[in-house]
Amino acid sequence: MTTPHASDSSGQVPSTPGDDLVVTGVSKRFGGVPALIDVSVSIVAGSIHALIGENGAGKSTLGKIIAGVIVPDEGSIALGAHPLHLRSPRDAMTHGIVTIAQELAIVPNLTVAENVFLGAEVATAGLVRRRDSRRRFRELTERVGFDLRPDAVARSLSLADQQKVEILRALSRNASFVVMDEPSAALSSTETETLHEIIRSLARRGTAVVLISHYLSEVLALADTITTLRDGRHVRTVDASDATEESLIEGMLGRSLSTAFPPKQLAAPDAPIALEVEHLSAPRIEDCSFVLRHGEILGIAGLVGAGRSELARAIFRDARASSGTVRLAGRELTGHSPRRSIRRGLAFIPESRKEMGLLMNRSVRENISLSRLDLVSRAGWVARASERRQVARFMEKSTVKAASMTMPATMLSGGNQQKLLFARTIMCAPGVLIADEPTRGVDIGSKRAIYDLLVEMAHDGMAIIVISSELEEVLGLAHRILVMRHGRVTTELTGDDMTEEAVLAAAFAEPSVG
Amino acid sequence: MSDTITERPDPVEHETGETRSLRVRGRLGRSWRTAGILIPFLILFAVLSIASSAFLHTTNLINILDQQASTLCIAAAGTLVLVGGGIDLSVGSTYAFAGVTAGEIGQHHSIYVAIGAALIVGLVVGLANGVIVSVFKISPLITTLAMSYVIQGVALKVSSGNLILTGTIPGFTAFATAQFLSVPSAVWMTLVFVIILALLLSRTTFGRYVVAAGGNAEAARLAGVRVGGIKITTFVLSGLAAALGGVIDASRLGSVIASSGGSTLAFTVLAGIVVGGTSIAGGEGSGWRTAIGVLFIALIGNGFDLLGVDPNWQQIVLGIILLVAVGLDMWTRRARR
């Protein structure tokens, strides 16, 4: 795909690093609540500077202040000796500071080239000069070594390619500082590799990258300097070479996290069978079969696009299966409505909690009780006292932390939002749970809480399928791992065979032609 | 009044700085929505009471309610449609068609048959809207806009565009004008209907499902909500309400014509709902506040009449109020993100 090295005649004319970006004593409050308190940090031109911290630590806020998206209440930003007064992202752009947001900002119906030059079209008297913009696009892609068709419609691109469009847009504005907020969160591992190469090559060319990331391995591999934030305060800024994953976690949490995963409690080999999938075929999955026992945690690994989520949805009867059977506790699961599956004791936590999981504007209470309102109502009338009692119980079980159960879900941290879905699931008391990316975009503390929860639920007899793009997660939780490739279950790993190498080898194995 | 204020927060775990801050923001964000239109309504009410001696008379107030009866009913059901993520522009035509149906059938049959037939007309139109939207996945805006033309056409065809006198049908006028405790039955019916629909939205599982379907249909579906059925039901209720409104007005006014209602009524209803703070984006809203919203607009009209202000100003003021209401809605949404 991309050959980031090819165009990099290393050392030759690295654009002269300009001034450093100096942030001094910035504070920001939202509705009287401090999000950032007296933070000072200096970003060396041409370096990769990572900002880390738990959700709510203020790293995104700091990134947005640097990018002009948010105006700080106090403190100043300066480029070298020149103070900057950034009022908007456009302001920041004129000073060479560009942001690539967590949610990509591309226009899906426009072409790649149109997106790249959006707002800065090559035009005469309002008419876009297509040939010129084509030429500029080519120069740009050659400079970074991207392989993108300028006329491809943006919506048809993969997430990684869309991100490249954003990066090109940043570069087309001659950015000297690029702020990237969780750039790899939605990428597969190969795409992430590519992104890392891009970030490195940006730095080599003198563009500083402010990298906001949850992934400590990514931060350690890429960054020159790492700044840790906690509760809106600056904890420390260190050279990446002096940091370890442990020291970073310690800095983020203010304590050390003893072990990332709770100990595995294997299910009895003769435990009753909870779920049987036989020769299941559905859109993008083919002939998948496996058996899952009560108390077992089954990990499903594979590259993005290997059909993991599709398999989950086919089992849940959300996607229509073309052939094959799904049996829950020995009885075939028929029909094709999530409602029926839930009633039969099969729960599903979808991969994207905002789009597919939660009612973001509704209260914690409503979100939790949604699937089992029948338990807290009589003849269609919601018994609110009973609902409150039940919801409180399930909030406690799933360790949801919210000031009140009337608070809208959108006000909670990512970790607590995810726990809301677990609370809803526990309320359904399913025999089988399929959790698709259960810890995506969740801070480290909540991750551990979710792992504990999964292990506890399995210990209580639930059969659980964990789908995850994070290999450690699958390895750390699962009693058994299925690896998927091209819509098929290709490999099953158990016991000591469950290693990172084995999973990767199976996931990347040459597809058998046929 | 709204479930968000009567309920005491249940603190879970210890309160961290973060959660406390979020709670404060949450409260600020919702305060407009919960109190919302009630405050401007009370202010307007007080101002009119002082400015016009005629305003605070029981006769005037009951008059306002009587005139707004049909709009209130239709808007109460329209709130459910909007909260459920839909919109119903066909209510004006359904209103007219139901009135015409009652008038035509009433000429030859008993008023029970006439009224029953009119309500069935509303139900069928609503069902058609709901099925087209939910099953054939055509946008509710287009569906109900198209439906409004069809229904209007049918109503004109059935009545040949003539004015139908309903005042001559024995017992028909009494349907909406019979007095009980010196309040006309139209007002009583509206009161009951609005209360039922408001409670349906705020206190029942059906209401929760409507909110879920409108707030995030995909999430609701995956959580086990029958999104399609829920949406169809909201449209059926809307059709029924439009028919009830049509019958009430046919009875009150003594005559009915197919060209009444139409888009004007659909938009008046929509304005009332939106001024009441229900989000056009779906997923949030309240029947109580819709009632206040409709009455707020009615008070403006009534006040302008009583104070002898040029009626053209009413439209201008109404337009501005709508923009302010929607603007505030957007603003609180953004503040909450």
Side-chain angles (χ1 to χ4, degrees), chain B residues 153-179:
Chain B
V154 173
L156 282 166
K157 198 92 188 117
V158 167
S159 64
S160 316
N162 296 326
L163 187 79
I164 303 165
L165 292 178
T166 51
T168 54
I169 302 171
F172 191 76
T173 307
F175 175 70
T177 59
Q179 301 273 319

Side-chain angles (χ1 to χ4, degrees), chain A residues 22-103:
Chain A
V22 185
V23 177
T24 317
V26 293
S27 297
K28 179 69 192 178
R29 298 167 153 272
F30 290 112
V33 180
L36 217 51
I37 307 157
D38 192 24
V39 171
S40 300
V41 64
S42 155
I43 292 147
V44 178
S47 73
I48 303 177
H49 193 127
L51 301 179
I52 63 168
E54 285 200 277
N55 283 345
K59 53 190 192 308
S60 287
T61 308
L62 182 56
K64 283 179 178 158
I65 286 175
I66 293 171
V69 179
I70 293 176
V71 181
D73 299 334
E74 286 159 44
S76 61
I77 304 171
L79 202 54
H82 308 288
L84 301 181
H85 298 284
L86 307 175
R87 300 267 134 206
S88 69
R90 215 185 163 82
D91 254 10
M93 217 179 267
T94 59
H95 292 99
I97 306 169
V98 177
T99 179
I100 295 171
Q102 224 164 339
E103 281 92 25

Side-chain angles (χ1 to χ4, degrees), chain A residues 33 318 371 384 387 406 411, chain B residues 3 21-22 30 208 221 223:
Chain A
V33 180
D318 180 29
S371 285
R384 294 207 280 181
E387 185 189 22
T406 56
M411 293 288 158
Chain B
D3 58 345
S21 76
L22 292 172
R30 274 177 301 173
R208 292 285 180 84
R221 203 174 55 80

Side-chain angles (χ1 to χ4, degrees), chain A residues 379-400:
Chain A
W381 189 264
V382 179
R384 294 207 280 181
S386 138
E387 185 189 22
R388 271 198 296 274
R389 241 185 349 263
Q390 296 260 25
V391 165
R393 208 175 102 214
F394 293 109
M395 279 173 82
E396 201 189 320
K397 270 197 180 169
S398 58
T399 68
V400 172

Side-chain angles (χ1 to χ4, degrees), chain A residues 33 313 318 338-339 354-358 362 365 371 373 377 380 382 384 387-388 404 406-407 411, chain B residues 3 7 9 11 21-23 30 203-205 208 211 216 218-219 221-224 226 283-284 333 336:
Chain A
V33 180
R313 295 181 77 130
D318 180 29
R339 182 185 182 82
K354 278 185 188 156
E355 281 78 35
M356 298 152 76
L358 294 171
R362 303 305 297 188
R365 179 169 51 87
S371 285
L373 275 175
S377 63
V382 179
R384 294 207 280 181
E387 185 189 22
R388 271 198 296 274
S404 93
T406 56
M407 178 184 253
M411 293 288 158
Chain B
D3 58 345
E7 196 167 293
S21 76
L22 292 172
R23 194 192 57 194
R30 274 177 301 173
R203 303 296 294 273
T204 67
T205 54
R208 292 285 180 84
V211 168
N216 186 342
E218 176 72 350
R221 203 174 55 80
L222 289 175
R226 287 198 195 95
E284 279 178 281
R333 260 161 202 280
R336 282 202 281 159

Side-chain angles (χ1 to χ4, degrees), chain A residues 285-302:
Chain A
I285 64 156
E286 220 174 302
D287 195 22
C288 292
S289 302
F290 63 90
V291 169
L292 180 64
R293 290 176 188 279
H294 280 289
E296 199 180 13
I297 302 181
L298 176 71
I300 298 187

Side-chain angles (χ1 to χ4, degrees), chain B residues 39-51:
Chain B
I39 294 161
F41 176 81
L42 292 176
I43 292 171
L44 182 62
F45 197 91
V47 168
L48 287 178
S49 307
I50 297 163

